[in-house]
Amino acid sequence: MPSTDLNAFLRTQLADLKARGLYKAERRIQSPQKSGIRVNDAEVVNFCANNYLGLANHPEIVNAAMEGLKAWGYGLSSVRFICGTQDIHKRCEQQIAQFFRKSDSILYISCFDANGGLFEPLLTEQDAIVSDELNHASIIDGVRLCKAQRFRYKHNDMADLKAKLDEAKNCRFKLIFTDSVFSMDGDLARLPDICSLADTYNAAVGIDDCHATGHLGSTGRGAAEELGVLDRIDIITGTLGKTLGGASGGFTAASAEIVDWLRNRSRPYLFSNSVPPALVAAGMKALELVDTAGELRVKLRANTKKLRAGLEGAGFTVKPGPTPILPVMLGDAAIATKMADELLKRGIYAIGFSYPVVPQGQARIRIQVSAAHTDEQIDRAIAAFTEVGKQLGII
């Protein structure tokens, strides 16, 4: 059978991944998601979740999900335009739009789907999409589905972005799209400069705000608020699956016209079941909590500062950036995997990242800090990293 040949080939490929330290094994968590979790029958400190404000499994969010389940049911067995739109979906979309100060928003099962379904309906071969080279895979895949002319500028390089906009100047519509926070590096897009170039070239600006919404900005409205340009961003995609409760669900917030067109033409929206009502209810509660989470944002910044200072003081190279994403740079994929294994033995849950998730030769341990981390947990992490770093000859 052909599948026999395929399976034999894949076994060799998987063995090669393991030999090069690129194999991505999954660890089983035996507890709810929080700053301390249970893995392999041991209690460990979790530095891998996108749980920036510590809202995953927050009692009010869990209760909202249960109440949503009771009131609206388990699922809708349908897509939105047939018989899958409930009142709660419309209210959540209104809440998201108001949160980001946009006219409307549209829900998706995930932000991967939001990005995958954004570009193809809006842009044709007459148009241009201009994107940062380090954009998330979902943006890259969405752009690939689009017939627009594609321009990729060097990461956060405004001179190169300007050059690409010059190349695209004769296109009908131009859309600059970027991650607002780059999840592997923890740095911010240069949104004020991007918006200024967009004004000069009559381009629209869109951002994926997944790793910023909820914890960046004075009121948690993400990187655009943090950088003072929220009213200059035309399209915002995001998720309910990170800071906003940590479950699932994505969205696009934009003008009424863009959202209405996506409802009629965006394939992941048209051909995927509705977001389950329990998740919608939980997401709405998470948005409410974010509005009053000023103390949690202060705590998150303090935790991030403490952990960064401890790691850099120990001799590690940590990429600079203003976010709670701390990439500890190691270079070698096998070393990153070994370090993650050794950290787990010492009660610290962290994962090594290597190609193709990050460029060749830039393997790292990515730490994600939470407002829920205690000082004792952060001290444990610094001590464990220092011990393992010395053991492996990294520091």
Side-chain angles (χ1 to χ4, degrees):
M1 292 177 60
S3 62
T4 303
D5 296 336
L6 175 60
N7 291 338
F9 171 75
L10 292 177
R11 280 195 295 272
T12 65
Q13 298 303 298
L14 289 166
D16 179 63
L17 287 182
K18 292 175 182 178
R20 291 189 290 143
L22 300 178
Y23 184 79
K24 292 162 182 61
E26 296 179 355
R27 296 168 174 171
R28 294 189 182 186
I29 300 174
Q30 300 162 305
S31 66
Q33 185 70 274
K34 51 184 178 179
S35 63
I37 56 177
R38 190 166 185 80
V39 177
N40 297 336
D41 297 320
E43 299 298 324
V44 300
V45 185
N46 185 6
F47 283 99
C48 284
N50 305 304
N51 187 23
Y52 297 115
L53 293 183
L55 297 181
N57 294 295
H58 187 286
E60 290 187 45
I61 293 175
V62 172
N63 184 65
M66 291 192 295
E67 291 302 315
L69 188 64
K70 292 176 185 177
W72 297 99
Y74 175 65
L76 286 148
S77 304
S78 184
V79 301
R80 286 281 298 269
F81 84 95
I82 299 177
C83 64
T85 298
Q86 291 175 320
D87 179 67
I88 193 172
H89 291 96
K90 301 303 293 185
R91 287 192 283 115
C92 182
E93 288 169 337
Q94 292 165 7
Q95 186 178 1
I96 291 169
Q98 290 169 4
F99 183 82
F100 287 107
R101 299 168 191 161
K102 304 304 175 195
S103 299
D104 202 356
S105 79
I106 176 174
L107 285 170
Y108 290 84
I109 289 293
S110 68
C111 190
F112 204 108
D113 275 352
N115 286 334
L118 175 65
F119 307 105
E120 188 270 337
L122 296 178
L123 304 172
T124 73
E125 60 276 358
Q126 302 176 64
D127 308 314
I129 172 72
V130 189
S131 62
D132 190 289
E133 66 178 351
L134 293 188
N135 276 345
H136 189 266
S138 60
I139 300 171
I140 294 169
D141 285 0
V143 170
R144 285 172 176 165
L145 294 170
C146 179
K147 293 181 180 179
Q149 299 178 51
R150 306 168 194 171
F151 301 87
R152 186 175 68 172
Y153 62 94
K154 296 176 184 176
H155 176 54
N156 261 345
D157 186 327
M158 296 300 99
D160 196 38
L161 173 56
K162 183 179 184 301
K164 297 300 186 291
L165 288 168
D166 276 327
E167 290 182 51
K169 63 183 178 181
N170 293 325
C171 293
R172 181 184 59 167
F173 301 131
K174 294 172 284 293
L175 172 62
I176 306 168
F177 203 90
T178 180
D179 280 327
S180 63
V181 171
F182 294 89
S183 62
M184 287 298 128
D185 293 331
D187 57 336
L188 295 178
R190 295 173 59 181
L191 295 182
D193 294 332
I194 290 171
C195 289
S196 294
L197 283 170
D199 290 343
T200 300
Y201 286 88
N202 192 32
V205 178
I207 60 172
D208 175 327
D209 204 54
C210 282
H211 283 274
T213 295
H215 68 88
L216 285 183
S218 59
T219 64
R221 280 154 176 79
E225 182 184 50
E226 177 82 10
L227 297 171
V229 293
L230 185 58
D231 61 336
R232 300 174 70 187
I233 305 297
D234 300 288
I235 301 171
I236 298 175
T237 64
T239 182
L240 305 176
K242 291 184 170 57
T243 306
L244 300 180
S248 186
F251 57 82
T252 298
S255 67
E257 293 82 2
I258 287 175
V259 171
D260 204 16
W261 188 248
L262 293 176
R263 291 193 195 282
N264 282 273
R265 288 291 186 269
S266 181
R267 291 170 69 84
Y269 179 83
L270 289 170
F271 297 105
S272 295
N273 268 16
S274 309
V275 181
L279 296 182
V280 177
M284 294 171 72
K285 175 55 68 174
L287 283 166
E288 290 178 18
L289 293 175
V290 161
D291 261 338
T292 58
E295 290 184 7
L296 289 178
R297 286 186 279 273
V298 171
K299 175 63 173 172
L300 176 60
R301 288 193 291 271
N303 283 352
T304 303
K305 182 178 179 180
K306 177 181 174 71
L307 185 51
R308 176 182 283 277
L311 293 172
E312 291 178 341
F316 287 101
T317 299
V318 184
K319 277 205 168 193
T323 73
I325 298 171
L326 303 181
V328 180
M329 303 305 295
L330 303 172
D332 183 81
I335 289 292
T337 299
K338 178 65 173 175
M339 185 167 193
D341 291 341
E342 291 297 319
L343 286 169
L344 187 61
K345 293 176 185 177
R346 292 160 177 79
I348 301 298
Y349 189 108
I351 294 292
F353 286 82
S354 55
Y355 181 82
V357 180
V358 297
Q360 291 274 18
Q362 295 188 29
R364 67 199 66 182
I365 298 285
R366 181 185 68 171
I367 298 172
Q368 290 166 281
V369 188
S370 172
H373 285 129
T374 65
D375 285 342
E376 186 272 336
Q377 288 174 328
I378 292 173
D379 288 337
R380 281 182 61 190
I382 295 169
F385 266 87
T386 301
E387 181 181 344
V388 175
K390 290 178 179 178
Q391 174 187 323
L392 298 180
I394 299 166
I395 56 173

